[in-house]
Amino acid sequence: MADVITGNGKKLVGTSVRRKEDPDVLLGRETYTADLKLPGMVYAAIFRSPYAHALLKRVDLRRALALPGVIFGITGDSLPDFLKPMSLSPYRNVEWAELKVKNPQMNYFPHVCLARERVRFVGEPVAAVVATDPYVAEDALELIEAEFDPLPVVTSVEQALQPDAPLLYEEWGDNVQLRFKVSGGDVERAFREADLVVKETVISSRYTGTPMEPRVVIGRYSAEENYLEVWDTTQRTHSVSMFVRNSIDLPDLQVRVITLRVGGGFGQKRGFYSEEVLIPLLSILTHRPVKWVETRSEHMVGTSHGRQQVHQMEAAVKRDGTVLALRDRILADLGVAYPTSGTISVMTTLMFIPGAYRIQNYEGELLGVNTNKTVYGSHRAFGKADAAYAIERFMDVIAQELGMDPAELRLKNFIQPHEFPYLCVTGSRYDSGNYPQAFQDALKRAGNEKWREEQKRGWQQGRYLGIGVSLVIEPNSASKVATYNAGHYGVRMQMDPTGGVTVFCAGNDEGQGHGTAIGQLVADELGVEFDRVHTVEGDSLLCPFGSGSYSARFAVVGTSAVIMASRRLKEKLVRIAAQVLGVGVEEVRAEGGAVEVLKDPSRRLSYQQIAQVAYFEVLRLPAGVEPGLEVLYYYIDSNLQAADLRKVPDERGRYAVYSTFPYAANVAVVEVDVETGRVRLLEYVSTDDCGRMINPAEVVSQYMGAFAHGLGGAFYEELVYDEGGQPLAQNFKDYLVPTALEVPRVKLAHMETPNPFTPGGFKGASETGAVGPTPTIANAVEDALRPLGVKLRRIPITPAIVWEAIQKAKGLK
Amino acid sequence: MFPARFNYYRAESLPEVLDLLARHGSEGKILAGGQSVIPLMKLRLASPAVLIDINRVRELQAIAGDERGGLRIGALTRHHHMEIKKWPRSLALLMDAARDIGDPQVRNLGTVGGALAEVDPAGDWGPVMLSLGARVRAVSPKGERTLPIDELFVDAFTTCLAEDELLREVEIPPLSDGTGTAYLKMERKAGDFAIASAAVRVNRSPDGRCQDVGIGLGGVGLVPLRARGAEDLLRGSNLEEELIREAEESVRKECEPLADIRGSVEFKRQVVGVLFRRALKIALRRAQGEEVEAGHV
Ligand SMILES: Cc1cc2nc3c(=O)[nH]c(=O)nc-3n(C[C@H](O)[C@H](O)[C@H](O)COP(=O)(O)OP(=O)(O)OC[C@H]3O[C@@H](n4cnc5c(N)ncnc54)[C@H](O)[C@@H]3O)c2cc1C
């Protein structure tokens, strides 16, 4: 790995500059939110519902409050009047309502930060205590007396949709929180013209992100200043400041949210949570700084889950393999209706079912269904992983029905390179790509043909080898009007009088290495040294307003804002220098951290000299140029703002949601032990295209982390609930996260198709690693077991599932 | 990590342990490697008022041969020591089992005695010791006794030991020549407890007859089980392929798995049978002097 650190001459973007962030994190010198200790700090512990569904008869804190060291306690019924229901919307209101959109149809329930009257999932916050010591707070929880009256429990979408199902939110009349339909083309006709109609149900189980650092919230309120500071391990610093402000309705309250280094987000830290209101509220009510550190057991039930979807799919196909049309009906198990973005996430799934294929006839319908489980929220590759899983599994089913090689079928239907930018049937514009090339490359590097031969030999000897292929897209950089995520990214760039650059950024970093990337970009654009570029993120008052870090927004709109701000700053430096040097702006150029006269490069001013003029000799500035060297730039996503794209759903539900479309072609080779159901992954090959790479080493490391998570989804990770709604995976003993021992080497290669809509050509990297394994491995396992006629319709693929599927196939034969 | 309040005593010698047990046995728990008891306390699933730390007691840490050619394994022997010890080939299953327990941190601290006293239905040492026909020596302020390992396991997470009784060591009887052993465990991922496991000890005479056999099963009952039916089928036989299949079916019938997050009853029955058969085959090859990896299932 190259260790380039100067910006002189050689460009840094595209090289594997060593990450600025690593030394502090790896050597244990970093300050995480849980490390903070403020004078007078007290500790909150949360009493959570042990029932999946029950009436809350009584919560009695008296014994808990009598424990020495306990200073405060609160229940849903004792919340103050200024405490308002929580909402996803910046308008403190229902999503989309402002836009008069009828599709999607979303129900809203005014949940407050502690349950009232009723509990709806195991882990729901019911009461909180505050003590001078976290151990005492924990002891106090055991003294809380709560009485519940259990209600019938809903634990699956099928059950939730029964006409006589118990209702979670009676006022809605059913258990459907979200209805959404999207369609394009003439689906009816396509089905009439089809040679064959293929149907299948594809299921993915509930799993989650389990960041190494669970959530932490600290609140500190100053009554004198009516000023509330919140330290929060969120992916959305500014949005949380609005969320807190909207939920705590104290007149003229000033809120500042600060996010320190975050130990992994994976979408789980993107949702809004009760604790983000509750803990600040407790600091307001106790006049003390209050700290809450989530335990792992709390995290497994209190932080959002993802992925649980049932897809009822249908395809109209021609004998030659052309897919004329698709239908999908998604039943998503949303858990309870708390304000995380699970609803938007499953809508995203519905939008990208057509995947990498030239399918212009599509009809999708979505029911977001409530059950007595933890809320469904954003989870790595937000709904897109689910779409890729469904379509890539379904393509294999189609291939089998046609008796066609799954690779052939895909090659037949890919969007072709010359068709980009490509308008997807659901309204987004795919920026660029070359699917056939990536796919052929992966097949070739995997040794597809060699494996096919070995597979045939193996089958004769009772050895079951399987080859699975996929091409997954991972749409990046979302935006939606009238939400926090309006598609912009703000950057304030400041050159100080010594020539050093500080970049204040609207997002924050959960491990992606923003500081390193910004250093590379600014070094290249401005010609300052990499080490002189400093990044500040995660402060809702100090940094420009933004919606946070997710959806690879940093790599797409964030880097664009950094580039544009650098260019603006450079213009100002050039203008000032030209004036001081007594020449016109067209007679100078910026080069290597200085501005020099083109005809006589010995006449030059270093950035430091220019900065000194800007700050200390302001009378020498050109007319109309403000003192100081500071630029504010809000970049708008150009592939979403374009005039010809729909910003809100049209009558058929179509609109542009994502602006750039990284993808990866994947091949997995597995061997199945048919006696035990054990699957071994022998080979995983991926050809990945994230556009231009800013830092290839970073792309690889992010990819491998994502891949481990994808592998978890394929083989291990599942949030199982029993029929009573009790979660069975409440810690890492039962929730299996792959470790280094489970993660094989990936044969990873990159293709770089630049994004034509961003100044740097970047698309956002690596979440393809989390998306690819589930369909690719499932395809491979099913392929291995073809002689037995085994169907696998759900993930994770555990030995028990595989063995039972084999038994089932045997029974049918 | 927020356990309830507890008192902590550290014993430096066996008499001190016995003294502490006499005083606190009823409200306290012995702290060996802490790899079971600490996680339980952390989750407040256990809240002992007293912990009696035995980690400094040297007498409990030795592995030694006894007069009869058997082996005594001190209760405090760490899984890690079981893993790195050079065992005679006839005890290869000890290494098979030790190396797949938990992760390195668990193996560095966790102990054989603690694991046996924990009686986790899916623990690894139970089936191993059952297959070897081991005995355990227990001491209490009132005296000492030795009992067959089968008697130790009363129920899931329950031994027959009295509150003031310490598991002192495990005795493995001498193994006759021509003995081969193997332990196979199927886990969901590295570091996990077993879905099911099988330990096999088999002794074949030069003419090929099975002179003795011990079969221990893990993960398929409330306690580690011994497959006596299958043992009876094989003992004295010529270990014909058909008979082995029959024994495999017997293993499936004899066990009593519960359905849980690791799989259904049928699945566990299937797996434990396969593990038994494969372990037997490895043990037989080892008995012939072959160097065979137990490998991973
Ligand atoms: C992540 C993880 C993974 C694991 N994976 C496995 C696995 O794959 N296979 C497996 O077999 N085990 C596994 N274990 C459990 C591990 O083997 C423990 O070490 C073992 O179960 C308990 O041994 P200990 O020495 O840690 O006992 P402790 O936790 O100290 O004690 C356990 C219990 O036994 C009692 N006790 C301890 N020593 C004695 C004694 N000498 N006499 C009487 N009572 C005593 C204690 O009072 C306590 O009740 C795992 C544990 C963890 C944390």
Side-chain angles (χ1 to χ4, degrees):
Chain A
M1 193 189 302
D3 195 19
V4 195
I5 51 164
T6 87
N8 290 341
K10 194 165 182 323
K11 291 283 184 206
L12 293 192
V13 169
T15 64
S16 293
V17 175
R18 189 167 291 176
R19 277 164 50 99
K20 281 176 189 259
E21 296 80 1
D22 285 345
D24 281 351
V25 168
L26 296 178
L27 297 173
R29 297 188 302 222
E30 187 57 89
T31 304
Y32 290 88
T33 311
D35 297 323
L36 274 196
K37 199 161 172 8
L38 303 173
M41 187 177 252
V42 288
Y43 303 85
I46 298 168
F47 180 83
R48 294 170 186 275
S49 170
Y51 288 93
H53 201 188
L55 293 177
L56 189 52
K57 303 301 276 186
R58 187 176 70 96
V59 188
D60 188 341
L61 300 183
R62 276 173 301 183
R63 284 182 61 218
L65 289 169
L67 188 71
V70 175
I71 64 162
F72 193 76
I74 195 165
T75 65
D77 287 335
S78 56
L79 291 170
D81 286 343
F82 61 78
L83 202 280
K84 300 292 174 217
M86 303 180 285
S87 158
L88 265 184
S89 160
Y91 306 99
R92 194 191 275 166
N93 212 329
V94 190
E95 285 274 314
W96 299 108
E98 301 70 25
L99 301 170
K100 309 266 183 291
V101 170
K102 295 218 176 55
N103 172 36
Q105 222 181 71
M106 244 183 257
N107 280 319
Y108 170 76
F109 186 83
H111 276 295
V112 287
C113 62
L114 291 172
R116 284 172 173 159
E117 288 169 31
R118 200 197 264 224
V119 291
R120 293 180 175 84
F121 69 102
V122 173
E124 183 163 14
V126 169
V129 288
V130 181
T132 50
D133 172 311
Y135 286 84
V136 174
E138 210 64 35
D139 291 343
L141 290 187
E142 296 189 346
L143 299 175
I144 293 176
E145 289 170 23
E147 227 182 277
F148 298 91
D149 211 348
L151 292 168
V153 173
V154 183
T155 56
S156 72
V157 287
E158 293 79 10
Q159 186 198 352
L161 294 175
Q162 295 294 319
D164 57 348
L167 298 182
L168 271 80
Y169 302 96
E170 265 139 21
E171 39 284 80
W172 300 348
D174 59 20
N175 285 318
V176 183
Q177 184 186 353
L178 165 69
R179 286 184 173 78
F180 179 50
K181 282 185 182 169
V182 63
S183 65
D186 192 341
V187 178
E188 296 284 320
R189 196 173 126 194
F191 271 85
R192 274 199 310 276
E193 290 172 0
D195 293 333
L196 196 71
V197 172
V198 182
K199 293 183 187 184
E200 192 51 79
T201 302
V202 178
I203 300 168
S204 65
S205 302
R206 195 164 256 257
Y207 70 107
T208 186
T210 59
M212 208 186 290
E213 177 204 39
R215 292 183 298 122
V216 182
V217 183
I218 298 172
R220 174 165 70 182
Y221 176 66
S222 156
E224 293 71 25
E225 297 179 73
N226 197 16
Y227 177 56
L228 175 67
E229 281 174 304
V230 181
W231 286 262
D232 185 9
T233 54
T234 178
Q235 292 173 233
R236 299 212 281 176
T237 310
H238 290 91
S239 313
V240 169
S241 76
M242 289 285 293
F243 172 62
V244 171
R245 189 64 194 76
N246 283 344
S247 309
I248 300 179
D249 192 16
L250 279 181
D252 305 324
L253 175 70
Q254 168 90 314
V255 178
R256 177 187 192 185
V257 177
I258 298 167
T259 305
L260 305 177
R261 174 74 67 217
V262 174
F266 315 123
Q268 269 63 36
K269 290 179 182 158
R270 182 183 179 275
F272 293 147
Y273 290 101
S274 302
E275 295 86 354
E276 288 168 331
V277 177
L278 176 63
I279 303 302
L281 175 71
L282 289 171
S283 80
I284 291 172
L285 298 175
T286 59
H287 293 268
R288 300 279 289 266
V290 179
K291 180 178 191 172
W292 169 75
V293 180
E294 186 181 54
T295 64
R296 181 61 61 188
S297 317
E298 278 183 298
H299 181 85
M300 299 309 291
V301 294
T303 297
S304 67
H305 298 165
R307 297 283 199 273
Q308 193 163 21
Q309 301 183 358
V310 177
H311 293 256
Q312 296 161 343
M313 308 184 78
E314 238 177 82
V317 290
K318 285 272 180 211
R319 281 261 162 255
D320 69 355
T322 308
V323 179
L324 299 174
L326 279 178
R327 282 200 186 107
D328 190 13
R329 181 163 184 265
I330 304 178
L331 307 177
D333 184 341
L334 294 180
V336 291
Y338 269 77
T340 59
S341 308
T343 43
I344 319 292
S345 155
V346 296
M347 281 171 60
T348 303
T349 305
L350 196 72
M351 295 302 252
F352 293 104
I353 291 297
Y357 306 104
R358 199 202 302 101
I359 298 173
Q360 284 292 341
N361 302 307
Y362 170 59
E363 200 171 270
E365 185 191 354
L366 164 68
L367 295 183
V369 180
N370 296 112
T371 57
N372 292 112
K373 298 182 193 167
T374 297
V375 66
Y376 191 122
S378 42
H379 176 201
R380 201 169 206 158
F382 196 75
K384 301 159 293 190
D386 318 75
Y389 168 69
I391 182 64
E392 288 304 308
R393 287 291 291 122
F394 194 44
M395 287 304 273
D396 265 42
V397 174
I398 297 172
Q400 252 182 58
E401 293 273 324
L402 287 170
M404 201 168 167
D405 183 283
E408 286 303 312
L409 178 72
R410 286 174 171 82
L411 285 163
K412 177 102 199 157
N413 288 285
F414 281 142
I415 298 161
Q416 295 300 306
H418 66 267
E419 293 174 294
F420 289 98
Y422 170 86
L423 192 65
C424 169
V425 57
T426 58
S428 289
R429 181 157 59 196
Y430 292 15
D431 61 299
S432 63
N434 190 334
Y435 302 154
Q437 190 189 336
F439 193 68
Q440 298 280 22
D441 178 70
L443 286 175
K444 189 152 153 254
R445 286 190 303 113
N448 184 44
E449 282 165 26
K450 183 201 82 179
W451 280 116
R452 283 280 175 224
E453 278 163 31
E454 214 164 313
Q455 177 183 47
K456 273 196 213 107
R457 267 201 305 279
W459 279 340
Q460 281 153 15
Q461 301 154 4
R463 185 177 179 216
Y464 292 86
L465 290 171
I467 302 118
V469 298
S470 74
L471 195 140
V472 301
I473 62 165
E474 210 280 300
N476 271 342
S477 192
S479 133
K480 195 152 68 74
V481 273
T483 70
Y484 288 111
N485 183 10
H488 59 71
Y489 209 101
V491 156
R492 185 157 55 83
M493 193 175 289
Q494 197 180 63
M495 183 175 278
D496 65 38
T498 73
V501 175
T502 307
V503 184
F504 298 84
C505 235
N508 43 275
D509 188 330
E510 300 93 47
Q512 305 92 326
H514 289 180
T516 302
I518 289 173
Q520 291 176 266
L521 291 162
V522 175
D524 282 2
E525 283 294 331
L526 216 48
V528 296
E529 290 194 3
F530 175 76
D531 284 343
R532 299 229 54 199
V533 184
H534 184 64
T535 298
V536 178
E537 296 182 294
D539 189 319
S540 71
L541 291 190
L542 221 53
C543 298
F545 195 92
S547 75
S549 283
Y550 52 89
S551 195
R553 298 185 67 258
F554 171 75
V556 185
V557 273
T559 59
S560 301
V562 171
I563 291 173
M564 299 313 285
S566 304
R567 290 180 185 168
R568 254 197 206 161
L569 185 58
K570 190 156 125 184
E571 270 171 37
K572 184 162 181 180
L573 287 162
V574 165
R575 253 183 101 184
I576 297 171
Q579 166 88 4
V580 174
L581 292 166
V583 294
V585 282
E586 64 296 335
E587 293 173 80
V588 295
R589 64 163 187 177
E591 182 64 35
V595 177
E596 61 193 24
V597 177
L598 281 169
K599 287 206 181 113
D600 178 8
S602 70
R603 293 184 60 208
R604 65 203 302 270
L605 287 174
S606 69
Y607 282 173
Q608 184 175 356
Q609 287 169 315
I610 304 169
Q612 283 164 350
V613 173
Y615 289 103
F616 309 135
E617 302 162 35
V618 295
L619 297 179
R620 297 174 71 189
L621 291 173
V625 171
E626 277 178 45
L629 288 170
E630 195 164 324
V631 161
L632 178 66
Y633 198 102
Y634 274 89
Y635 184 86
I636 301 178
D637 203 320
S638 63
N639 190 27
L640 285 168
Q641 300 295 327
D644 56 334
L645 295 179
R646 301 182 184 92
K647 315 293 184 292
V648 292
D650 70 1
E651 73 293 346
R652 297 184 73 176
R654 294 171 295 192
Y655 68 105
V657 245
Y658 284 86
S659 75
T660 179
F661 295 77
Y663 59 94
N666 311 293
V667 180
V669 181
V670 301
E671 179 168 359
V672 184
D673 177 341
V674 294
E675 280 193 328
T676 60
R678 168 70 82 213
V679 178
R680 292 206 184 288
L681 183 58
L682 305 179
E683 188 96 78
Y684 193 91
V685 178
S686 184
T687 301
D688 188 67
D689 185 352
C690 60
R692 268 184 79 205
M693 288 190 280
I694 298 170
N695 186 324
E698 178 73 72
V699 170
V700 172
S701 71
Q702 293 287 326
Y703 179 94
M704 283 312 296
F707 174 76
H709 195 174
L711 198 69
F715 283 138
Y716 307 106
E717 299 186 38
E718 183 175 8
L719 292 155
V720 182
Y721 279 77
D722 72 11
E723 279 168 13
Q726 289 293 327
L728 300 183
Q730 293 207 39
N731 53 49
F732 286 150
K733 182 164 179 267
D734 297 316
Y735 188 80
L736 305 178
V737 177
T739 65
L741 290 174
E742 280 77 30
V743 182
R745 248 192 129 70
V746 173
K747 290 187 183 157
L748 175 63
H750 293 283
M751 265 173 56
E752 293 188 275
T753 318
N755 179 349
F757 297 101
T758 50
F762 315 126
K763 294 180 179 175
S766 302
E767 294 300 60
T768 45
V771 179
T774 45
T776 316
I777 290 170
N779 286 344
V781 174
E782 204 172 82
D783 183 60
L785 299 174
R786 254 196 295 150
L788 305 176
V790 169
K791 287 185 169 199
L792 281 175
R793 292 294 169 259
R794 73 183 279 282
I795 46 171
I797 304 159
T798 62
I801 295 283
V802 173
W803 182 76
E804 266 143 34
I806 294 171
Q807 297 320 105
K808 202 168 156 198
K810 280 184 183 162
L812 291 178
K813 275 212 292 196
Chain B
M1 160 88 204
F2 299 106
R5 199 173 273 280
F6 61 91
N7 287 322
Y8 169 85
Y9 295 96
R10 190 169 67 203
E12 304 284 342
S13 66
L14 197 51
E16 228 181 294
V17 176
L18 297 180
D19 182 48
L20 286 165
L21 281 172
R23 282 193 285 144
H24 303 292
S26 59
E27 38 163 9
K29 266 198 178 293
I30 291 168
L31 175 69
Q35 297 306 294
S36 292
V37 74
I38 300 283
L40 289 173
M41 289 170 68
K42 167 182 119 166
L43 298 171
R44 295 198 178 205
L45 295 172
S47 304
V50 171
L51 277 187
I52 302 166
D53 184 347
I54 60 170
N55 281 279
R56 300 235 174 154
V57 182
R58 294 206 151 262
E59 298 100 296
L60 297 175
Q61 300 182 8
I63 302 178
D66 67 14
E67 332 60 69
R68 298 176 302 133
L71 208 60
R72 290 162 179 270
I73 297 172
L76 261 187
T77 306
R78 315 277 167 189
H79 306 320
H80 173 68
H81 289 124
M82 300 294 283
E83 182 187 357
I84 58 171
K85 178 109 182 145
K86 290 268 164 287
W87 299 107
R89 184 169 296 147
S90 58
L91 281 173
L93 92 167
L94 295 177
M95 211 282 270
D96 296 342
R99 66 170 188 189
D100 274 352
I101 295 178
D103 48 43
Q105 291 92 321
V106 170
R107 295 196 289 277
N108 284 339
L109 281 169
T111 66
V112 174
L116 290 172
E118 180 66 15
V119 204
D120 190 304
D124 293 312
W125 290 124
V128 166
M129 297 304 171
L130 280 173
S131 76
L132 293 172
R135 300 169 68 78
V136 291
R137 196 140 75 97
V139 282
S140 79
K142 297 175 203 100
E144 203 173 284
R145 60 169 171 153
T146 304
L147 55 144
I149 188 94
D150 318 47
E151 285 174 26
L152 180 70
F153 308 130
V154 171
D155 203 342
F157 305 105
T158 314
T159 63
C160 70
L161 298 179
E163 281 169 342
D164 60 354
E165 217 172 4
L166 173 81
L167 194 163
R168 181 176 182 171
E169 63 189 13
V170 185
E171 298 177 0
I172 298 175
L175 298 176
S176 38
D177 290 344
T179 297
T181 59
Y183 180 67
L184 278 182
K185 164 187 184 180
M186 182 156 157
E187 47 190 8
R188 294 173 302 168
K189 69 157 203 167
D192 187 26
F193 278 90
I195 298 171
S197 68
V200 174
R201 169 185 55 91
V202 63
N203 180 278
R204 205 168 197 179
S205 63
D207 64 357
R209 239 166 33 83
C210 171
Q211 286 175 313
D212 197 12
V213 61
I215 303 167
L217 308 176
V220 286
L222 288 174
V223 295
L225 299 176
R226 187 157 173 183
R228 290 185 195 276
E231 288 177 4
D232 291 344
L233 274 173
L234 296 178
R235 201 176 291 115
S237 79
N238 283 324
L239 296 166
E240 297 86 350
E241 195 56 37
E242 235 167 84
L243 200 67
I244 292 176
R245 290 281 172 181
E246 225 177 285
E248 178 182 342
E249 280 316 309
S250 174
V251 160
R252 292 202 174 103
K253 287 202 196 89
E254 286 177 72
C255 67
E256 298 158 356
L258 297 174
D260 62 15
I261 201 164
R262 291 189 171 75
S264 64
V265 170
E266 299 71 37
F267 174 64
K268 289 182 181 179
R269 285 217 156 97
Q270 164 68 14
V271 168
V272 78
V274 173
L275 294 177
F276 153 72
R277 169 170 32 91
R278 292 184 187 177
L280 174 65
K281 300 227 158 139
I282 295 168
L284 285 169
R285 286 169 63 196
R286 282 176 173 168
Q288 303 281 320
E290 236 184 286
E291 198 71 66
V292 194
E293 265 281 304
H296 291 262
V297 178

